[in-house]
Amino acid sequence: MATIDGRPALYELSLKQLRELMEERGATAVDIVKEYGSCAEICRKLHSNPQRGLSGDPADLQHRREVFGSNTIPPKPAKTFLMLVWEALQDATLIILQVAALISLGLSFYKPPENENEDDAIHHDESEEKAGWIEGVAIYISVVVVVLVTAFNDYTKERQFRGLQNRIEGEQKFAVIRNGEVQQINVAEIVVGDICQVKYGDLLPTDSILLQSNDLKIDESSLTGESDHVKKSVEHDPMLLSGTHVMEGSGKVLVTAVGINSQAGIIFTLLGAAVDEEAAEAKKKRKDAAATDATGNSHANSAAVADGDIKNSKSKGDDKAPSEEREGSAEKSSSGEKSVLQAKLTKLAIQIGYTGSFIAILTVLILVIRFCIKKFVFEGEKWSGYYANHLVQYFIIGVTVLVVAVPEGLPLAVTLSLAYSVKKMMKDNNLVRHLDACETMGNATSICSDKTGTLTTNRMTVVQSYMSGVHHKSTPRYDDLNQHLAELLVAAISINSAYTSRVQPGENPGDLPKQLGNKTECALLGFVLALGKSYQVHRDELPEERIHKVYTFNSIRKSMSTVVPRSNGGYRIYTKGASEIVMKKCSFIYGKNGKLENFSKQMQDRLIKEIIEPMACDGLRTISVAYKDFVPGHAEINQVHYDSEPNWDDEDRIISNLTCICVVGIEDPVRPEVPEAIKKCQRAGITVRMVTGDNINTARSIASKCGILKPGDNSLIIEGKEFNSRIKDNNQKVQQHLLDKVWPSLRVLARSSPTDKYTLVRGIIESKVSTNREVVAVTGDGTNDGPALKMADVGFAMGIAGTDVAKEASDIILTDDNFSSIVKAVMWGRNVYDSIAKFLQFQLTVNVVAVVVAFVGACAINDSPLKAVQMLWVNLIMDTLASLALATEPPTADLLLRKPYGRTKPLISRTMMKNILGQAVFMISIIFILLFYGDVLLDIDSGRYADIREPPSIHFTIIFNTFVMMTLFNEINARMIHGQRNIFRGIFTNPIFYCIWISTLAAQIFIVQFGGVAFSTAPLSLELWLWCIMFGASTLLWGQVITSIPTHSLPKNVFSWGSGEPANDPIADLSNDDKSDFDNKDNKRTGQILWIRGLTRLQTQAGIGPSSHNVSSGTESYHPIAIPPGLSPLLAYSRPPPQTNSSTDLT
């Protein structure tokens, strides 16, 4: 018999049997497991050991992948470049341009009859007539350039996004036992037969069977649609499914299905989000249809049901808020919610779209009507095919005006700026999961931060303790303690903590010990080691399998209790938790010399006042350790006698009348860089609030050290209980007007639950107390922080201490868990916002000038001074280059010296509008002077009223060249949007900018000198070039004049483009389609108006990641640890009432 790693190569369970096994639930599942023998027997059949796991031998792991599949779900193949080119060609505007160019091309080969008006022949020669086809071809070339730029942009974006997605997935680790050692491995490396440890906050990456559990509760809403947490145990329901969340407790599991064979994988396959490898293999081997059907049908029903359930899950989840007490509010939905910048750009696009459409139609009407009246009324001409060319040209000019009216380069500017910033933010320990969060962070006005690990180092140490009536300010010697009490303490700490929490020696001599697992538990374990004892001895004596019951930590209990058997019969309960909460459950305490005493209310109050409060005021986290015995025989005063098994579900009765062993004070120092970071936030106009589950005195002390609290600033510091009493009416409903009285002065919310955090965040976001509305960022690390992270405009999850649930609910992951990294995110976010504002200032100036010149030209001389191809060059090519130049400006420290914009402040500020209109008026004046008097001033032939077939004139070439030169120099002006005078500051810190500027200038010289008929240009002399450059450079001087005009003297209402969020406009609502990316079959661009296409592209490019922010299979590399974005457990999870806490921090 063939062997692998010393065991048989064949398994006693097939892939099909395992898949069918995982379809069962509840009691049925228990019965099926019994049919196979037991969980241990299934382990044996898969050649795995429940205690030691797999051996970890590479040959064994590879063989398991070949037989049972790997834990990856193949992504949908990326679209090829040609497919993206084809999609770009579907754009309605480009189709119109192509049709118009085709007509123009056809008419260029049409020869008028011999008897055509002879006067017409005077205006042109045969060579020009032969060159008539060039304009049509030039438009086609412009379209090709636009299409290639669009396709290349989409292609590059998709590659970047897939890379970012892979980076996010690479962060996902899971605890497995191999060769008796607990290892953290990438979820893709998990194989069938692995023994894994699951704990609160985990997102399960595989299907598995429970071997052992402690108070384990799972959120299966992603599969069932039910938000209630499902209790799991070996006796009642041992099946754990991929894509579900561990909400409470811990356990040990045997992996039975991975990748496309897991329940989430089956759903992926059915939805077409993954390549069905089984079907592909069947096709490859040319199996008969019956065999194929048999293979496919074995899971169709269950997966189809699951699919239906998931849809059900979404509908159910969307109605629920995390607090049943709050009603009638708008949820942050995945389909309709926009980021602050997206909302402003939507409104701006609508405003520009209406204006552009109106002017374009008016331009065509004026041109056509004027021409018809002049030719057919005043001159009495008869219709001839020759005149059709005129009408086509007018139509092309109208379409081109529409093209120019919309900032076509804006989507590219947004994408480039966001992608550039995201790449740089990774180096600053910000892993951005959703691109729009990057710019939203720049608008943040309020940050609600956790304390532990974010403001503090999260390296905890016991520095004070109270035992036997003695307050120790340093670690006591073990021999100095009462022997009985010391043994009790060491056992209580060693056993009543997650066995995954460990303290290991530093890698090098002299290094601090490494804390693995929960930091509070590590501090207590470190205290045991400091006493000279080993916690591992107790754990070895009592392995997890022998633990009778665990009451895991959650936000309601704020404590953890473990029930273990006593050696001489009965049970012992060890409890640890927030000191004042555990104290209330204690009836006894060990006093001086280890004497047992009654713990009266007066003694408790005295202990809190004399010991606990002074510790908390020193910034220490206080933890009480207690115990209780259940005995079958004679019971001492602090023990409980029982005749029959106690009812362990009656928690209040079980965890009562405890005996207090000791109180410890744990120090978690403030990160040295945090006070300065908070100062920067406050200087930048951002309010920092601490929301913590810790004691109010500890929170006050840490907040003071951080600089959140300042002497005499009348800041509000309250506990969660008082917070709720202040914001709720008599019916216990949260009222916004009551919340508005609390949050503006609130700086510290202590002893808060995740529900309190959610309520606060939502209240601040929905409040209309401040003029510009608040934009809120939130940090969170735990499972139940999910709702608050989803509700916030930007959710930050902790990369080190954060649970999988928190990370999936977040927008940005702090890879170093450090508050100062949030400040860097603010700086980058503001830079994105400013980069887009700079581009808008530049772009809109170009657009206003081009549109006005085309319109007035149509009215005045029956022609546009800027030809269609020239406007396409200015609008599409220069905009693309300008977006690249302005979008990659590096951030400066000055960004943190101004106030945030807020939610409703106009995207185009009064200063920007002053610059746009000021420069536009100046440029238009120069162009019109050149148009009407340029031939006289420069002593050149006039190009006005030239026939359509006339050769390009020097006069109109100068107008085109001057316009481009003014635009180029104004690009330098556009680098400053806040009225700064030194426009050259930092220009050489951005090589992309000056390289593009010089390249554009070189291209313009080439176009003017050699463009000829294609670009409607005639070569210019050196003198005329100098005149054009002088006119261009004059925009720099004019910019200084505009800066001197006081902005506050301008009216507010006139200058408010792009402010607030779009109203329910039927056209604006089309933008909801933006959440489909270019892989979505329903995303049809055909028939959309130009400016809506630009908007859709913009918002398509701003969405990313496996989240409700963007449901796109095209930009994702799917992973087994989560089900598809549209089916994400977060969508269901973001609504249900929080029942458990995410964090095991004990206070």
Side-chain angles (χ1 to χ4, degrees), residues 4 17 101 183 229 276 288 328 332 335 386-387 390 434 577 605 621 655 692 785 788 822 828 916 960 991 1014 1066 1090:
I4 292 174
Q17 285 175 309
Q183 302 176 14
H229 300 159
D276 190 341
D288 57 71
K332 184 175 182 178
S335 59
Y386 165 72
Y387 296 127
H390 285 271
H434 307 132
D605 292 342
R621 166 177 289 188
I655 314 294
T692 178
D785 286 329
I822 297 176
W828 278 107
I916 291 168
F960 166 57
L1090 171 71

Side-chain angles (χ1 to χ4, degrees), residues 168 172 332 430-437 778-783 785-799 802-815 1104-1109 1128 1130 1133-1134:
I168 292 169
Q172 306 272 357
K332 184 175 182 178
N430 285 276
L431 180 58
V432 181
R433 298 182 72 248
H434 307 132
L435 276 186
D436 57 356
V778 170
T779 69
D781 59 2
T783 306
D785 286 329
L789 289 169
K790 290 287 286 179
M791 184 69 219
D793 294 292
V794 182
F796 285 89
M798 303 297 110
T803 61
D804 290 343
V805 178
K807 288 175 186 175
E808 196 176 327
S810 69
D811 301 297
I812 298 175
I813 296 172
L814 294 178
T815 54
I1104 178 181
S1107 124
S1108 58
H1109 290 231
S1128 172
L1130 284 174
Y1133 172 69
S1134 64

Side-chain angles (χ1 to χ4, degrees), residues 256 389 542 709 806 975 1043:
T256 53
N389 217 344
L542 192 80
L709 295 178
R975 293 181 66 250
T1043 304

